[in-house]
Amino acid sequence: MESHNHPSFIEPYQGAATGVGGILRDVFTMGARPVALMNSLRFGETSHNKTRHLLNGVVSGIGGYGNCIGVPTVGGEVEFNSSYNDNILVNVMCVGVAEIDKIFYSKASGVGNLVVYVGSKTGRDGIHGATMASSEFDDSSDEKRPTVQVGDPFSEKLLLEACLELMKEDVIIAIQDMGAAGLTSSSVEMAGKGNLGIEIDLDHVPCREINMSAYEIMLSESQERMLMIIEPKKEEIAKKIFEKWELDFSVIGTLNDSKRLVIKRNKEIKAEIDIDILEKGAPSYQRPYKIINMKDCNIKESDLSKELPLTIIKQLVYSPNLSSRKWVWEQYDHMVMTDTVLNPGGDAAIIRIHGTNKGLAITTDSTPRYCLANPYEGGKQAVAEAWRNLITVGSRPIAITDCLNFGNPEKEEIMGQFAAATQGMAHACEELDFPVVSGNVSLYNETNGKGINPTPAIGGVGVIDNLDIFSTHNFKREDDNIFIIGKTPGSINQSIYATEILQNKNGCPPKVNLAEEKNNGKAIQKLIKNKIIDTSHDISDGGL
């Protein structure tokens, strides 16, 4: 799961599309075939002058790339809040399936082995994209439009199939996607992990623009490109496969034992740097932080709305944060590959593991208003919500990935949000046996000094051992009994009713009792497995 927040604000279609492309490459570069995409999106108020433009562009970009490459987008979440008026969040999750003994890594090895460039040609798009994504916005941010990459999903489809075909041939020693900082980061990271040196001749890099400097080639973030390490004797095997798929294939360098990065262009050395400085030499900060929690004050009965209950329910149903998201997900192809068992719109999507009767349940979740009021409890809640959504469809939760979206960590209160939220997440993961296996951090989500609500987005995956048995959230028969599992203490602090109807944003959110969470979840799991229930739904936004 990764973010493409700043690029999507500057150029929503390409920002979101290349976010999808990048996370797909991260999965298939390890030898896994991508089987499902999800997203977690945050926009400003629906009345804000930029929201419609940004929303249309982002949703079109996600659909355009995912639909073209042929990987189903099976769900996600969309929230609207004024804190995202000038800094939207676009987080994309990809799930892949790999043979456990055929996983590929990015650690370079073997002095004399070849450094090979494959995929699309290099252009000037995306230069300084990584630095742009790591700084606050201001009124001049639209001028950064050239730093947004341009995606080509059809080239990515060719690259995916070529890489997976080559991976069957026992040719690749190491492979890595050219993501942020392009050729610079991929070459340095691969050599650094292998404790080796690397020499690159940029005259052999396929370029689509003339007279590109060494600086531009090394920092370009053009999409659909990979860097591989292969043995010289296996060059022809690899070359034939990439030529078959009509993709560029070029030997651009070799590995050595110098532990240095040497860059040549036009027969001249343009750079020579110790790899350790670049790869292991980043500073480690112990930033001061201050954790700020809202006071634990309950909303009084006298503060409640005097409207009739039916009027309040109508207002809630009309809320952009509770109404149907069908208008979003119907723009995505969620049936391509024909393994989607449970469509978007429920607690979690379900994908069949191809050729089996086993399934993967997938969800994305976050509750930023809880994290703003009490970041520790909010972090716990985000993990518990993902766990709960996987439980309600009858799966066995196995792991999470995350995308931690926060403001400027140089401010004590923002660093406090980050510290407390991650502590809350860690506590929930330990209690629920729900390990974190990957993740991403997106900081400096601020414009003119105003930060977003702290938004740790959780992507959860569960396993369904028998796809003949699972649960959905829609009522199925008249006269069925309806049960609530768990206690209802009556807290409405930080609920959508409180924040949107009463306009009361004070007070601590409901606390998550992880022992009860686990106990209730295990009970639901057992009821589904034993075919006692086939309908279940978590109680979250909007309450009962």
Side-chain angles (χ1 to χ4, degrees):
M1 193 178 196
E2 288 197 353
S3 61
H4 238 216
N5 303 335
H6 282 32
S8 299
F9 185 79
I10 294 169
E11 212 302 293
Y13 185 94
Q14 290 296 349
T18 52
V20 174
I23 200 65
L24 281 161
R25 287 193 299 280
D26 279 349
V27 168
F28 73 75
T29 192
M30 295 191 72
R33 178 170 288 279
V35 295
L37 289 161
M38 272 211 169
N39 51 71
S40 178
L41 310 177
R42 298 288 185 289
F43 296 96
E45 295 168 297
T46 52
S47 58
H48 191 264
N49 60 352
K50 284 188 176 180
T51 297
R52 182 181 291 270
H53 161 68
L54 292 169
L55 178 64
N56 285 342
V58 166
V59 171
S60 298
I62 290 170
Y65 207 100
N67 295 357
C68 288
I69 198 171
V71 178
T73 300
V74 293
E77 54 171 358
V78 183
E79 183 195 4
F80 300 89
N81 184 280
S82 61
S83 79
Y84 309 105
N85 278 349
D86 298 307
N87 197 125
I88 63 174
L89 301 184
V90 177
N91 295 176
V92 183
M93 176 185 180
C94 180
V95 177
V97 175
E99 295 288 341
I100 201 163
D101 58 348
K102 292 180 183 174
I103 294 173
F104 290 80
Y105 298 94
S106 57
K107 179 181 176 180
S109 64
V111 171
N113 281 336
L114 304 179
V115 180
V116 179
Y117 172 117
V118 298
S120 297
K121 288 180 168 59
T122 295
R124 288 189 171 94
D125 54 320
I127 295 172
H128 287 183
T131 47
M132 176 271 290
S134 302
S135 58
E136 290 184 32
F137 276 159
D138 54 33
D139 293 330
S140 65
S141 293
D142 277 353
E143 297 170 9
K144 297 175 181 175
R145 196 176 301 273
T147 61
V148 178
Q149 310 95 318
V150 178
D152 179 356
F154 299 106
S155 293
E156 179 113 336
K157 173 63 173 172
L158 298 177
L159 184 61
L160 185 160
E161 298 300 342
C163 286
L164 292 181
E165 182 176 336
L166 184 61
M167 285 165 174
K168 295 175 182 175
E169 298 292 332
D170 192 28
V171 170
I172 298 172
I173 293 168
I175 182 169
Q176 183 160 327
D177 160 39
M178 288 190 223
L183 186 52
T184 299
S185 65
S186 54
S187 60
V188 168
E189 286 175 17
M190 292 175 84
K193 288 173 185 175
N195 211 23
L196 292 169
I198 188 167
E199 184 172 306
I200 295 175
D201 186 344
L202 297 182
D203 293 345
H204 297 295
V205 172
C207 294
R208 66 168 184 260
E209 298 183 47
I210 60 170
N211 299 325
M212 288 185 71
S213 68
Y215 183 87
E216 290 172 324
I217 294 171
M218 288 301 292
L219 283 179
S220 167
E221 293 184 16
S222 293
Q223 296 291 284
E224 294 88 36
R225 303 179 302 158
M226 294 279 195
L227 201 63
M228 301 190 308
I229 308 297
I230 63 176
E231 294 176 21
K233 63 183 180 183
K234 295 182 178 177
E235 178 187 346
E236 284 305 312
I237 299 172
K239 189 175 183 180
K240 279 181 183 176
I241 289 173
F242 279 88
E243 285 178 347
K244 182 185 90 171
W245 290 98
E246 299 181 347
L247 294 166
D248 279 297
F249 178 99
S250 180
V251 176
I252 64 169
T254 55
L255 297 177
N256 55 51
D257 59 3
S258 69
K259 297 185 183 177
R260 294 176 75 78
L261 170 71
V262 177
I263 305 296
K264 291 182 178 178
R265 178 71 162 154
N266 299 324
K267 313 301 181 190
E268 293 179 18
I269 292 179
K270 296 292 185 180
E272 188 171 358
I273 311 169
D274 284 341
I275 281 176
D276 279 355
I277 292 172
L278 297 171
E279 208 257 337
K280 301 184 182 74
S284 177
Y285 298 109
Q286 292 292 330
R287 292 203 184 279
Y289 64 84
K290 181 168 57 180
I291 296 173
I292 300 173
N293 296 323
M294 288 189 184
K295 290 181 182 174
D296 200 358
C297 53
N298 289 319
I299 295 171
K300 300 186 183 115
E301 195 168 336
S302 58
D303 296 329
L304 301 182
S305 173
K306 303 301 186 288
E307 298 274 7
L308 293 170
L310 188 59
T311 304
I312 295 168
I313 288 171
K314 282 182 179 178
Q315 289 173 334
L316 285 169
V317 169
Y318 274 111
S319 163
N321 289 320
L322 286 179
S323 57
S324 169
R325 299 296 192 276
K326 186 177 180 181
W327 58 274
V328 174
W329 59 256
E330 69 184 1
Q331 298 181 56
Y332 305 145
D333 188 343
H334 49 272
M335 292 305 294
V336 66
M337 297 170 74
T338 66
D339 279 323
T340 306
V341 175
L342 186 57
N343 290 347
D347 289 299
I350 298 176
I351 290 284
R352 181 185 303 277
I353 298 174
H354 193 70
T356 74
N357 200 37
K358 209 175 208 182
L360 294 174
I362 310 164
T363 184
T364 53
D365 296 286
S366 187
T367 316
R369 63 184 185 278
Y370 284 21
C371 295
L372 180 65
N374 186 309
Y376 179 79
E377 286 296 329
K380 278 168 59 180
Q381 155 65 16
V383 173
E385 170 83 0
W387 192 83
R388 205 179 302 140
N389 279 329
L390 297 174
I391 289 284
T392 55
V393 296
S395 77
R396 173 168 40 87
I398 57 167
I400 70 165
T401 182
D402 59 54
C403 193
L404 307 178
N405 306 273
F406 290 81
N408 184 347
E410 296 166 43
K411 297 177 180 177
E412 289 190 0
E413 67 275 17
I414 303 296
M415 192 62 202
Q417 291 173 351
F418 184 84
T422 50
Q423 288 164 8
M425 288 169 56
H427 183 192
C429 286
E430 287 167 2
E431 291 293 317
L432 298 173
D433 300 322
F434 204 22
V436 184
V437 295
S438 64
N440 179 63
V441 177
S442 174
L443 301 172
Y444 297 95
N445 287 291
E446 296 202 1
T447 298
N448 294 325
K450 185 177 184 299
I452 61 163
N453 284 351
T455 312
I458 306 297
V461 175
V463 172
I464 297 176
D465 295 313
N466 179 0
L467 279 176
D468 295 330
I469 305 171
F470 62 89
S471 178
T472 61
H473 75 291
N474 54 301
F475 290 129
K476 299 173 180 66
R477 293 163 295 272
E478 291 184 11
D479 299 324
D480 274 7
N481 291 314
I482 303 167
F483 295 91
I484 292 180
I485 309 295
K487 295 172 186 170
T488 305
S491 169
I492 58 168
N493 285 353
Q494 299 304 329
S495 66
I496 288 184
Y497 169 67
T499 56
E500 295 189 13
I501 306 296
L502 303 181
Q503 294 295 304
N504 187 330
K505 297 178 171 66
N506 300 316
C508 282
K511 291 189 176 173
V512 180
N513 184 320
L514 293 168
E516 287 186 11
E517 186 79 62
K518 192 171 185 178
N519 195 42
N520 295 344
K522 295 293 184 186
I524 294 289
Q525 264 184 332
K526 193 173 180 181
L527 289 167
I528 296 170
K529 188 176 180 180
N530 292 335
K531 299 186 179 180
I532 295 170
I533 63 171
D534 61 4
T535 306
S536 51
H537 191 19
D538 75 316
I539 299 178
S540 55
D541 285 354
L544 178 60

